Amino acid sequence: MQRIPEPEVMDSPAEAIAYDAMDFTEVNTAFAQSAIALGPNQGLVLDAGTGTARIPIAICQMQQTLGSRWQIIGIDLATSMLELGAQNIQQAGLSAQIQLERVDAKQMPYPDAYFDMVISNSIAHHLSDPLPFFRELQRVLKPNGGIFLRDLTRPDNPETLHALVNSIGAEYDPEQKRLFRDSLQAAFTVAEIEAIATAAGISGVKIYQSSDRHWTMERAYL
């Protein structure tokens, strides 16, 4: 199925509220657990495309019982998402551990080899061309740094797309279902992500389809 890019920035208050209201608890919990398992015990971590900061919050809450602790910088271009994220962080009591910045992931202001790990959930499908982001990821990450990226994968055909959208349940309103459909159509296949990672010079990663709707890229921190 041909890719249909979607707008890079979801920056209307209505879109941010609709997105934040979607129940990604199960997916976010699984993401946070996997990221922690691959990452350092202590370190500086970048969350690219942090949205409303639900994943950094989940990570920090889990680490409170594990004895590990990350300082997380979450970046996004959507002001409305970051504003909601700041509220979520404050409510969780994690303002000292999570910092949000309005930064373009394709052109970051951070020095080379700055982060111990880069994580990202669902940024690639928002980018018309993810290669600049992957090159920046490679640049700002320490040579031994961990990587954990996950995103939607584009279905092979319209029938599979329709079935996936219908599978998310009646609790989602039409706007939330539209957002999900648009994201699936804008997503990349595993083969496309493999080619982009190679072109960016990223090595030592495992890239695979991790569910009926997701691909994952991972590399453990050394």
Side-chain angles (χ1 to χ4, degrees):
M1 192 171 70
Q2 185 176 2
R3 181 177 186 244
I4 303 175
E6 63 179 358
E8 184 168 327
V9 182
M10 294 171 57
D11 205 13
S12 76
E15 284 181 318
I17 291 169
Y19 178 82
D20 195 53
M22 295 175 78
D23 185 8
F24 295 126
T25 303
E26 184 176 349
V27 173
N28 288 351
T29 299
F31 184 101
Q33 290 171 336
S34 296
I36 291 170
L38 289 167
N41 188 51
Q42 310 284 336
L44 180 63
V45 176
L46 174 70
D47 179 25
T50 194
T52 58
R54 293 294 186 182
I55 283 177
I57 291 169
I59 288 172
C60 293
Q61 288 173 335
M62 287 182 192
Q63 288 182 323
Q64 290 173 355
T65 62
L66 296 173
S68 58
R69 182 181 174 91
W70 293 351
Q71 288 296 129
I72 301 177
I73 296 177
I75 64 171
D76 208 291
L77 270 179
T79 302
S80 296
M81 291 281 193
L82 292 172
E83 288 174 350
L84 272 180
Q87 294 175 21
N88 292 336
I89 291 167
Q90 185 175 21
Q91 289 171 3
L94 292 167
S95 299
Q97 201 170 344
I98 306 171
Q99 176 182 342
L100 299 184
E101 298 181 352
R102 188 177 183 276
V103 168
D104 187 345
K106 305 184 301 300
Q107 192 174 4
M108 301 186 216
Y110 310 113
D112 295 354
Y114 188 63
F115 291 98
D116 296 288
M117 186 172 191
V118 175
I119 64 173
S120 182
N121 182 54
S122 299
I123 189 175
H125 78 264
H126 284 289
L127 306 175
S128 58
D129 178 10
L131 181 56
F133 161 62
F134 278 70
R135 284 177 172 157
E136 279 291 88
L137 181 160
Q138 172 75 356
R139 181 185 67 80
V140 302
L141 187 62
K142 293 179 181 178
N144 64 335
I147 297 173
F148 190 67
L149 274 58
R150 181 167 288 164
D151 204 340
L152 296 168
T153 186
R154 190 170 72 255
D156 293 331
N157 52 67
E159 292 76 19
T160 303
L161 171 69
H162 184 69
L164 286 171
V165 173
N166 285 342
S167 73
I168 65 173
E171 66 270 22
Y172 292 97
D173 63 31
E175 174 63 11
Q176 291 169 328
K177 288 190 173 184
R178 181 193 68 79
L179 290 173
F180 184 48
R181 177 182 293 275
D182 289 350
S183 294
L184 285 170
Q185 291 179 317
F188 292 88
T189 65
V190 169
E192 289 166 344
I193 292 298
E194 287 174 338
I196 293 166
T198 299
I202 299 172
S203 61
V205 290
K206 178 182 178 183
I207 302 171
Y208 58 99
Q209 183 154 344
S210 49
S211 80
D212 62 349
R213 66 196 68 181
H214 295 101
W215 59 260
T216 293
M217 176 192 294
E218 61 182 50
R219 185 177 78 191
Y221 173 86
L222 298 176

